[in-house]
Each structure stands twice: as C-alpha cells, then as structure tokens.
Amino acid sequence: MPKIKSNRGAAKRFRVTASGKIKRHHAYHSHILSKKSAKRKRNLRKEALITDADAKRVKRMILA
C-alpha cells in the first residue's frame, strides 16, 4: 500500500500549533485594500484558529 498523500494546497494554508489546534490566515486581505479601514486591515493580518467543526477535516488533509 502506498502512503496517503497530504493535500498540498491545505498544507500551505494551515499550521498546527503545539497544542494541536490549527491556525489559519484571514481572507479579504489581498486586494482592494484602499476602501478598507486601517483597523480592519490590521486585524486581518492576525492569525486565527479554525472552528471545531472544520478541525477534523482539515487535520485529515494536512496530516495524512
């Protein structure tokens, strides 16, 4: 049996923390930034955690 490959697209987008949670980046921070406030853009720079509902699916994609 060959090894199961991880989803390379997902592996580049998510990182696993030391406690096993999964970090993600915010969307809406790549273009059309002039109409967004400085506060909104600053908050979009910060990383966030994915929800528990998605955690199992994403872990399977990146840790396979």
Side-chain angles (χ1 to χ4, degrees), residues 5 12-13 15 17-18 20-21 24 26 31 37-38 46 49 52 54 56 59 62-63:
K5 293 183 178 182
K12 293 169 188 175
R13 286 171 170 80
R15 293 283 176 264
T17 63
K21 296 178 181 177
R24 66 172 176 84
H26 283 100
H31 62 100
S37 68
K46 300 173 185 175
L49 295 174
D52 293 335
D54 297 323
K56 184 178 179 182
K59 275 185 185 176
I62 65 177
L63 300 176

Side-chain angles (χ1 to χ4, degrees), residues 15-37:
R15 293 283 176 264
V16 181
T17 63
S19 62
K21 296 178 181 177
I22 301 176
K23 293 190 296 187
R24 66 172 176 84
H25 289 288
H26 283 100
Y28 307 110
H29 191 56
S30 57
H31 62 100
I32 314 177
L33 299 174
S34 55
K35 65 174 73 170
K36 295 170 187 161
S37 68

Side-chain angles (χ1 to χ4, degrees), residues 33-44:
L33 299 174
S34 55
K35 65 174 73 170
K36 295 170 187 161
S37 68
K39 179 181 179 181
R40 183 173 168 194
K41 290 184 282 190
R42 184 167 59 247
N43 286 329
L44 288 173

